[in-house]
Amino acid sequence: MSTPSRIKRITAPELSARKGKEPIAVLTAYTAPMAQFLDEHVDCLLVGDSLGMVVYGLDTTLAVTLDMMINHGAAVVRGSNHACVIVDMPFASYQESPEQAYRNAARMMQETGADGVKLEAGVALAPTIEFLAQRGIPVMGHVGLMPQSVNTYGGFRVQGKETAVARQVIDDARAVSDAGAFSMVVEGVMEPVAREITNVVPVPTIGIGASAECDGQVLVSEDLLGLFSDFTPKFVKRYAELGNQISAAAAAYAEDVRARRFPAAEHCFGAPKTDGAEVRQLKS
Ligand code: KIV
């Protein structure tokens, strides 16, 4: 009996070892087809809970559930075989206790086949990261602007403009790294804060709205593809305008249907041939 070939993905320890080397490219993916398009080009696919806003039209990420993340995480794993797949733990699935976090993160790992999980966590939840990391679950931290805390900030705001907040974010990053996170997202912070974090932590920092002073970058794919909204945040670079293309394609299709130009003869199964060939084709 031959041994099934193992799919060779980038692992969490391999990503971690990239600190200070070639910058790490990360994009979000929520579905299998999108994962297929992105997989060969990036080092890591992040199944972010931003899917609550991007896919489900929610105002914040707070209503995203563990089941939603598991379903999307499993789809992204099925659609990829190269990039390291990290899945966000959603709001209220890990904050209660290390035990709750482990139970849910273990389920995430078992049911998705992902390579690790991401937690929005600083000093307060560092013990939870340690609990998971010591029990076989690779953890990516997330410091700075933590969207699951939107209600305590009173809105989505860049962090670290005031010295005290900047210090807190740097302390968070240190605590997350000391607890055993293999890397961390640094979101929405002032450039000097990102620089200091990247200098002081021994694991890669992955920035979003955090300047070029990070070991890697992540963007929401729909933002860079022009698929999400008309508003482009300052930190996003749009590489395509697929939303416009989708809209134009839908308009052309509707016009063709109304003018009876679609379907044309080449899109139709004609009358069955006497030898049944057309019917066989339809079934195959
Ligand atoms: O939820 C998400 O997509 C994220 C990235 C934007 C870092 O956390």
Side-chain angles (χ1 to χ4, degrees):
M1 196 174 74
S2 66
T3 312
S5 66
R6 274 176 58 86
I7 294 172
K8 182 70 185 100
R9 277 181 192 279
I10 296 172
T11 63
E14 281 166 354
L15 270 193
S16 203
R18 292 268 293 273
K19 175 80 181 178
K21 300 188 180 139
E22 199 195 359
I24 298 168
V26 184
L27 282 173
T28 60
Y30 313 129
T31 65
M34 186 63 98
Q36 275 167 8
F37 287 126
L38 306 177
D39 185 38
E40 64 175 301
H41 306 292
V42 296
D43 305 300
C44 175
L45 289 170
L46 175 64
V47 188
D49 62 353
S50 52
L51 64 80
M53 298 159 89
V54 177
V55 176
Y56 292 92
L58 299 166
D59 284 340
T60 73
T61 56
L62 299 190
V64 174
T65 65
L66 189 63
D67 284 340
M68 283 158 83
M69 294 309 299
I70 287 174
N71 288 337
H72 286 276
V76 169
V77 169
R78 284 194 294 271
S80 60
N81 61 21
H82 160 259
C84 182
V85 177
I86 303 299
V87 187
D88 261 348
M89 294 298 291
F91 180 65
S93 71
Y94 62 93
Q95 288 91 342
E96 191 180 322
S97 66
E99 288 77 9
Q100 181 218 23
Y102 185 78
R103 207 166 34 252
N104 288 330
R107 206 186 134 206
M108 180 75 83
M109 299 291 286
Q110 288 179 320
E111 295 184 27
T112 63
D115 302 283
V117 297
K118 176 163 81 60
L119 265 60
E120 293 181 13
V123 171
L125 288 180
T128 296
I129 293 183
E130 190 170 359
F131 196 86
L132 300 191
Q134 289 186 349
R135 286 162 180 77
I137 299 184
V139 179
M140 179 181 272
H142 183 148
V143 300
L145 170 58
M146 297 186 262
Q148 292 175 14
S149 299
V150 60
N151 289 320
T152 53
Y153 304 138
F156 295 106
R157 300 221 168 86
V158 172
Q159 300 292 297
K161 287 187 181 161
E162 309 84 6
T163 315
V165 179
R167 274 266 63 87
Q168 180 61 55
V169 175
I170 294 163
D171 288 350
D172 282 344
R174 229 190 239 110
V176 162
S177 159
D178 289 349
F182 74 88
S183 74
M184 71 186 73
V185 164
V186 180
E187 176 166 357
V189 301
M190 308 294 283
E191 184 167 332
V193 176
R195 185 182 309 121
E196 166 118 20
I197 292 174
T198 302
N199 284 339
V200 299
V201 300
V203 296
T205 55
I206 312 292
I208 175 162
S211 83
E213 298 284 339
C214 294
D215 299 299
Q217 296 292 325
V218 56
L219 279 180
V220 170
S221 296
E222 281 73 3
D223 280 342
L224 78 91
L225 294 172
L227 269 176
F228 183 37
S229 75
D230 292 338
F231 169 69
T232 308
K234 182 177 165 62
F235 58 85
V236 170
K237 178 173 172 185
R238 279 199 174 183
Y239 287 82
E241 292 298 340
L242 298 192
N244 293 346
Q245 282 183 254
I246 290 173
S247 190
Y253 161 77
E255 234 178 272
D256 277 358
V257 169
R258 289 178 191 125
R260 297 200 180 280
R261 281 191 299 265
F262 178 82
E266 68 265 31
H267 308 117
C268 297
F269 305 103
K273 298 215 173 99
T274 43
D275 66 357
E278 195 78 352
V279 172
R280 280 202 300 279
Q281 194 189 350
L282 189 61
K283 282 186 182 157
S284 66

